[in-house]
Amino acid sequence: MYQDMGNAESALRHLEEFGNASPRFEPEMLLARAELLLRMGRPEQGMALIDGAVSEQGEIVDESLRAAHVSFYTALMQDAIERGDLEAAETWIDEGLGLYPGEQALLYAESRLLQEQGELRRAVRLLEDLVDDSPDNPVFLNALGYLLTDRLDRHEEARGYIQRALALDPENGAILDSMGWVL
């Protein structure tokens, strides 16, 4: 609301106050503040917020804070891609994976980056690994199927992945779109 009214600083304060008053929602409010700072062109401040909260927790980081940290790395990567700075995008993903090796959300984001870089075979291998690790994840199945049909003309193979995704999440618009595309 504050952002729509043109007062991002007030929005930052509001999110901080809400997070402090509602500890259960603090990680989400922290992520919202970091993402708002990113939109304001201050990504380093956003990362400093989350890094500070992670540092405060020490060696064992709360799962919701970890998820916020991972989500912000993904947001930073996406922002860099949108700005056409694939090198920065790669740096953010590498940094995130350095902190959270094997984190599926970051690996999935890396597959999107590889596609942007034209590294389609590497992207396919990464998505295949994600599907092998999580065979019932409709997002990974759909992403792999869509990449195979849209960029590599491997339609029959793609259709199998998309059918599996659709069976798991039949109301998902992205998966329905992929099925229409592969057909």
Side-chain angles (χ1 to χ4, degrees):
M1 179 176 82
Y2 288 112
Q3 184 184 5
D4 290 341
M5 295 170 54
N7 192 341
E9 294 300 329
S10 292
L12 289 170
R13 279 192 304 281
H14 176 73
L15 292 167
E16 181 178 14
E17 290 167 3
F18 183 80
N20 290 337
S22 306
R24 188 177 116 198
F25 297 107
E26 190 172 9
E28 290 88 351
M29 295 303 104
L30 186 65
L31 177 60
R33 287 169 55 206
E35 288 178 342
L36 180 54
L37 285 164
L38 173 62
R39 286 193 296 274
M40 293 168 65
R42 297 162 38 193
E44 295 81 12
Q45 285 181 310
M47 186 53 82
L49 276 176
I50 296 179
D51 284 345
V54 168
S55 292
E56 284 179 24
Q57 287 195 355
E59 287 187 33
I60 300 176
V61 177
D62 176 77
E63 185 57 38
S64 58
L65 181 56
R66 174 189 167 106
H69 206 195
V70 166
S71 291
F72 194 58
Y73 275 111
T74 301
L76 288 165
M77 181 211 72
Q78 189 59 43
D79 175 69
I81 288 172
E82 289 170 7
R83 290 184 289 106
D85 190 349
L86 299 183
E87 189 174 309
E90 190 169 348
T91 298
W92 286 122
I93 285 301
D94 289 346
E95 186 177 313
L97 285 168
L99 287 172
Y100 305 109
E103 172 63 47
Q104 288 188 330
L106 290 171
L107 292 170
Y108 177 65
E110 183 180 27
S111 76
R112 294 192 330 255
L113 175 59
L114 289 169
Q115 291 174 55
E116 289 291 327
Q117 294 171 323
E119 298 282 341
L120 301 181
R121 288 185 185 2
R122 287 182 58 206
V124 166
R125 281 194 304 275
L126 186 50
L127 287 169
E128 287 171 339
D129 289 345
L130 287 169
V131 166
D132 287 345
D133 290 342
S134 298
D136 294 329
N137 184 312
V139 173
F140 299 158
L141 289 162
N142 184 57
L144 178 55
Y146 186 79
L147 174 57
L148 291 172
T149 198
D150 185 55
R151 304 282 298 274
L152 298 170
D153 296 324
R154 292 165 52 184
H155 307 295
E156 286 307 311
E157 184 180 2
R159 185 175 178 177
Y161 288 114
I162 296 169
Q163 283 175 326
R164 286 174 50 199
L166 194 56
L168 292 164
D169 193 358
E171 302 298 318
N172 184 308
I175 299 171
L176 290 166
D177 181 67
S178 295
M179 181 56 78
W181 192 250
V182 76
L183 291 173

